Amino acid sequence: MNQSNHTVFINHLNFITNTLGISLCIKDSSGFTKMLDSNLSMILIEYLLHTNAYCVYMKSARSVCAQCIQSAKLIEKKCNKTNSPFFGRCHCGVLEYIVPIIHPQNGLLGF
């Protein structure tokens, strides 16, 4: 991905978050950002980290953080099973809209 494509992609993500007022987090469960482009994970850093203030606060407790990690594994399984977007509610009550990132040959890359 070249620099102009990086800029366009980041601009789209920023537009979505700013226009809709939502937190957007990319779960790179396969390491695809590093495979596609060594700079991509650095460029996307603010979207690769789950920075929702409520979630960060809740995950400050180890037991809640462990539940969050387990939930991500369950979401990944559901993504593999459905191959389509779905709504969910995490164990702390946050509504989430999950969109699987699927590659035709490699399957699920993340969500």
Side-chain angles (χ1 to χ4, degrees):
M1 192 180 273
N2 65 39
Q3 186 61 36
S4 66
N5 287 342
H6 288 159
T7 303
V8 170
F9 188 53
I10 290 296
N11 287 343
H12 278 69
L13 294 176
N14 290 337
F15 175 80
I16 291 167
T17 57
N18 295 331
T19 303
L20 300 177
I22 60 172
S23 292
L24 182 63
C25 179
I26 299 170
K27 178 70 172 169
D28 181 5
S29 57
S30 67
F32 77 91
T33 56
K34 291 178 184 170
M35 288 187 297
L36 291 175
D37 182 329
S38 59
N39 295 319
L40 190 56
S41 61
M42 290 306 298
I43 292 164
L44 291 175
I45 193 71
E46 79 178 88
Y47 292 104
L48 294 174
L49 300 172
H50 193 119
T51 58
N52 176 286
Y54 175 76
C55 296
V56 170
Y57 173 76
M58 294 303 292
K59 289 190 287 187
S60 64
R62 282 187 184 202
S63 61
V64 175
C65 189
Q67 286 177 305
C68 186
I69 292 167
Q70 186 59 34
S71 292
K73 291 176 184 177
L74 295 173
I75 289 169
E76 187 172 349
K77 284 182 182 181
K78 186 168 182 176
C79 286
N80 272 315
K81 191 176 183 179
T82 64
N83 288 331
S84 61
F86 58 91
F87 280 100
R89 183 183 305 266
C90 82
H91 61 281
C92 289
V94 175
L95 290 175
E96 301 177 307
Y97 185 63
I98 310 297
V99 179
I101 303 169
I102 301 169
H103 185 275
Q105 285 82 35
N106 299 327
L108 183 69
L109 299 178
F111 50 90

